Amino acid sequence: MDVVVCLKQVVDPELPVRDFAVDPGTQRQVREGRPLVISTYDENALEVALQLKDASGAKVKVLTLGPAAAVSEAIRLALAMGADEAIVVDDPRAPELSGAEKACTLAAAIRRIGSADLILTGCESADWAERVVAPLLAEDLGAACVTFVSRVEAGDGAPVVRRLVEDGYHLVEVRLPAVLSVTSDESNRPRLPKVKDIMAAKRKPVQTWSPADLTRSSARDPGAGVEVRGVVVPERTSRCEFLTGEPAEQVTALAQRLRDQKLL
Amino acid sequence: MDPLVPTREIYWNIPAFGVVIMYLLAAASVAVFGHGVYQHFRMWRRGQPVDRLTPIWPRLRSVLLHVAAHGRLLAERVPGIYHLALFWGFAFLLVGTMVVFVQADLRLPIMRGSFYLYFQSLALDLMGAAATAGVAAAMVMRYVFKSPRLRRGILSDGVILWFLGAILLTGFLVEGLRIAGTRDPWGPWSPVGYQISVLSGVVEMSSTAIRGSHAVLWWVHFVLSMVFVAYIPRSKLFHLLLAPVNVYLRPLSDVGSPRLVDFEKVERFGAFAFSELTWKDLFDLDVCTECGRCTAACPANTTGKLLSPMEVVLDLRDEMARTGGVSGPVLAGGVVQAEALWGCTTCLACMEACPVFIEHVPKIVEMRRYLAMEEAVVPDLMGEALRSLEARGHPFRGAGIARTAWTAGIDVKSLPRGEAAEWLLWVGCAAALNERNHSTLRALVRVLHAAGVDLAILGDEETCTGDPARAMGNEYLFQTLARQTIETLDRYAVKKIVTACPHCYNTFKHTYPQMGGRYEVWHHAQLLAHLVETGRIAPTEPMDSIVAFHDPCYLGRHNGEYAAPRRVLRAIPGVRAVEMSRCRENGFCCGAGGGLYWSEDRTGQRINHARTDQAVASGAQIVATACPFCMLMIEDGVAARETVVRPLDVAELLDRSIGGSR
């Protein structure tokens, strides 16, 4: 089985609040000087793929869209964790693209890869959380789509996937090819790379493609429909007020304030 | 024989052919002994090289202190004293046997005159009696008081003790019967033997009976002794030979640290097989006397965890004996269970307690290395810490605050801003990224500024020294982080470092020099003690509190620094110092060492809760410490126990006493 995992590199979601900033020109998060990591659920997707590799010898390719210079860390980690090869679609504009635009480019790249039985993505990205890439990929590729998957069991027949829902899960049999969006769960906690694999990762094949080399599906205009008008960092303020007067007056005033806030 | 020169007849009552048989038996016994030693020697040689032979003098001094004077054994008074009696008793008897050999076989007439009377008769008899008392005490400890730490080898210990007892008893009986049989005029110089000879007169033994029983007992005594010698390398008696050697081979500095791995050269990381431990590690295994002091001291074991440092050593020893150290199952996770390996806080309580200086912790870390680097299987929280170290340069996943958040409201120089200073204040992730420790850092800076110390920080350019990764067994990540840190330090030409974290301190002091990073490094408690003692800080405001100091393991046992923080406390007026039941060399870990800050500590009692209970029991109002990890653990323990004991860093206490916090 051939598995393609789409990985997105994002600014570390655990960045200190102080370092979070929005570029007013692009309305996107400032990336310069910030640590970049693989988006959280994408790591779970990679883990699900690697479990398929362990269980049934699937071949795992990782696919990422971004400025090639910036994504090497993410690629290196994915290869060290056990992916067989990597494809980078080198697009310096990638961080500014919408989910729909990205899905269109990724679908074109997957068509160029040729064989892809399962395409895995995170269920949402750690920065924009649009949740559109998996369904749009499926539509573009004419593949089945299951969202919020935690686990895939590949037997002799069609794979059976576990789809998490509130208070339980669905077991769904999928026909291939299929696009699965993966959520996190105890069973797909991303593995640590072995030191030997970290060393071997340096020798694994990484292909870099230009978006110009890809044939996007002509049926749709992915840019249309969504425009980001503005992004702001929520401000948190705290106010401290001293109540004056005799203790009895202070208590009355405090009680009144608490009632005003509907806390009493 | 001149009847006026004191001596005695050797081989009285033993015919010449008996002496020949004796020599044949002795030769056989020595051969069996030698074969046994060689079997072990072959196994030790499979280990990796490590230099432990030099320097000679400090090593010999340590043999004098811990073998001749029983330094560590006497830490437990009663067993220490009876072992001392056993040790010196048998040492004298061995010398006495040598004297007989010199006299009888080398034909050098030394066993005569006052030497015969004072040494060969009186001293040997008394030391024999002391050894007998020692044997009896060891039996009482095991079979009457049933000492809980002596759980292992309770049967084989019995065999050994009966053996020793029988050799001593038959020795005395043979001596007594000879005194009676030869009407030895110097008999009273051997008080025990003489009493036996008197007794034989009382029971009116005929001279035939004396000769007959003497002959039988002489052979019993001799054969027992020879079997004993042959048995030595096949039992824990081996420690008679190996323990003094192991004391000589002890680590002299950087105690308890694992070896630096050369990733260019090593094929497999960590201890899969015996050949991946050092020869000293393998030697250690055969030295163990199963006394259980390590396990009794272990904070993990005493709070109900699976780890028992003694069982780790003995499981490895038994497996080495079974396989000849050649192959067999994997050590890490096979011979020693992974759960036991991950339970170790690397606090060194076991190593400090071991009277024969076995090094448990480096073996445990070496086995962790196999799990962490070859299998890449570590406990979940540790795995997250490792991933965070890799991605963010610190192990605190979800910290979400900036490294310089603690500097709000105080003015600290910063090297990245181009400001130079004499000292680098190395903050450490545990302090910078956990709000509780911010007040420690601010207090420290206030005190240092008050003393006129010129310091700067690295701010956002500081990254983890790698200590947690190293303790968790990921030496590869450790070295990556260490190289990065050394590069940063060298870029700013840092010479002198003061740090508020004992883990960082230990790494700078012992590990970085092996990687080319050499700095003058002080722990903040040391610098504060120095400043107080040189009059640069004058604590004046009284604290009026009962204070107990909790020794951080990486300051105390790892670096031998027990005094400096206590000197700081003593300088603060009104502080009444008390000690917890476990302090200094015997201090009790907070539970965070060895990367176990990132563990759930779900089995048994939590280590930090147990430590908090000890703090409460000491009657202290304040637990002083000098480590950001200890601080977090004790804060947690105090909250869980709902006690009024407050943990404070020595810097915070000193700061209050110079009026800094207001």
Side-chain angles (χ1 to χ4, degrees), chain A residues 198-221:
Chain A
I198 294 174
M199 293 170 162
K202 291 167 191 152
R203 294 189 298 275
K204 284 185 176 173
V206 178
Q207 299 182 52
T208 308
W209 296 345
S210 156
D213 301 340
L214 302 175
T215 319
R216 285 187 186 73
S217 105
S218 55
R220 297 164 43 245
D221 173 7

Side-chain angles (χ1 to χ4, degrees), chain A residues 3 21 51 57 61 67 80 86 92 101 106 132 137 150 171 223 240 248 259:
Chain A
V3 183
Q51 286 173 8
K61 295 178 185 175
E101 290 167 308
L106 289 171
V132 297
L137 266 181
S150 68
L171 283 179
C240 180
R259 263 194 293 275

Side-chain angles (χ1 to χ4, degrees), chain B residues 74-324:
Chain B
L74 286 166
E76 272 195 55
R77 204 50 69 175
V78 172
I81 289 170
Y82 73 65
H83 192 277
L84 195 68
L86 259 174
F87 171 85
W88 279 111
F90 274 96
F92 268 70
L93 294 174
L94 181 67
V95 174
T97 309
M98 297 307 229
V99 169
V100 172
F101 173 76
V102 169
Q103 171 92 17
D105 300 297
L106 304 183
R107 309 283 163 133
L108 296 174
I110 56 169
M111 202 178 88
R112 56 206 290 262
S114 50
F115 174 73
Y116 173 73
L117 292 183
Y118 286 107
F119 180 79
Q120 197 71 2
S121 299
L122 183 61
L124 285 198
D125 239 42
L126 294 178
M127 293 310 277
T132 312
V135 169
M139 287 181 172
V140 168
M141 198 59 142
R142 279 168 181 75
Y143 306 110
V144 179
F145 293 124
K146 297 189 164 53
S147 166
R149 66 171 171 76
L150 296 168
R151 280 170 298 204
R152 181 105 177 196
I154 208 75
L155 271 176
S156 55
D157 282 8
V159 171
I160 288 170
L161 289 171
W162 281 111
F163 230 113
L164 292 174
I167 289 172
L168 289 164
L169 182 69
T170 53
F172 278 128
L173 288 174
V174 166
E175 181 183 52
L177 292 168
R178 177 192 55 75
I179 291 169
T182 57
R183 299 180 195 286
D184 185 347
W186 312 105
W189 285 86
S190 304
V192 181
Y194 185 69
Q195 287 309 315
I196 291 168
S197 78
V198 170
L199 204 64
S200 75
V202 171
V203 297
E204 295 178 354
M205 282 176 83
S206 67
S207 73
T208 326
I210 286 176
R211 277 181 170 272
S213 49
H214 174 270
V216 169
L217 286 168
W218 191 93
W219 280 107
V220 169
H221 179 73
F222 179 74
V223 170
L224 279 179
S225 305
M226 289 302 107
V227 172
F228 182 81
V229 168
Y231 186 51
I232 285 174
R234 290 165 179 78
S235 68
K236 77 179 220 181
L237 285 170
F238 212 4
H239 83 273
L240 305 186
L241 264 82
L242 304 191
V245 180
N246 215 43
V247 174
Y248 181 88
L249 298 172
R250 70 184 283 200
L252 293 178
S253 71
D254 197 12
V255 179
S257 287
R259 288 177 297 154
L260 199 72
V261 177
D262 183 346
F263 284 92
E264 302 287 311
K265 288 193 185 142
V266 180
E267 292 277 307
R268 186 162 55 194
F269 311 120
F272 172 89
F274 286 107
S275 58
E276 286 153 349
L277 293 168
T278 68
W279 64 262
K280 170 61 171 60
D281 283 324
L282 303 183
F283 190 84
D284 265 358
L285 304 179
D286 285 328
V287 186
C288 182
T289 65
E290 305 174 8
C291 75
R293 282 173 171 79
C294 52
T295 293
C298 175
N301 188 274
T302 49
T303 54
K305 317 291 189 279
L306 179 68
L307 171 66
S308 157
M310 179 176 77
E311 296 300 330
V312 169
V313 167
L314 295 181
D315 287 347
L316 289 172
R317 179 195 72 184
D318 294 346
E319 185 64 21
M320 182 166 78
R322 195 180 70 78
T323 61

